[in-house]
Amino acid sequence: MYSVNVFTPMMITKYVLRNMLLHHTKGSIVHISSISAHTGYKGLAMYASSKGALEAFSKDTAREWGGLGIRSNVVVPGFMETAMSATLTEEQKNRIYKRTAMKAATSVRSVAETVAFLLSDGACSITGVEVRVDNGTI
């Protein structure tokens, strides 16, 4: 779990940063976390803790490299209808939806468009933040 959710993004970020520094490039790094890092779900303690570690790494990356124009942010998606969640029953999904203000699954498109915005120049003053795209998960 930590290899996939923490160590691999750290290594990729390391090489992205090296390239940006070598070419004197400003830009944006966006990591993907999970709402489970902020709210408890039974059986997801390891997953949630790995995503929390990724969020801490991203925030520190923003602090360390911001002076050179390199931004680092995290998108925190809520529960989405994906292949990974396909094994859940409708009852299980509905219990999750009830924990959101909008009583529905998070839109994959909304998450993707948030990532695209954070990568764009329109987000040039945004760094070191966690943007929740989660239908108001409580």
Side-chain angles (χ1 to χ4, degrees), residues 17 53-66 72 74 128:
L17 287 169
L54 180 63
E55 290 182 16
F57 171 74
S58 184
K59 187 170 293 230
D60 286 336
T61 299
R63 179 69 123 181
E64 289 178 27
W65 301 104
S72 179
V74 180

Side-chain angles (χ1 to χ4, degrees), residues 73-87:
N73 294 292
V74 180
V75 172
V76 183
F79 178 81
M80 296 182 288
E81 294 278 354
T82 64
M84 196 167 104
S85 65
T87 60

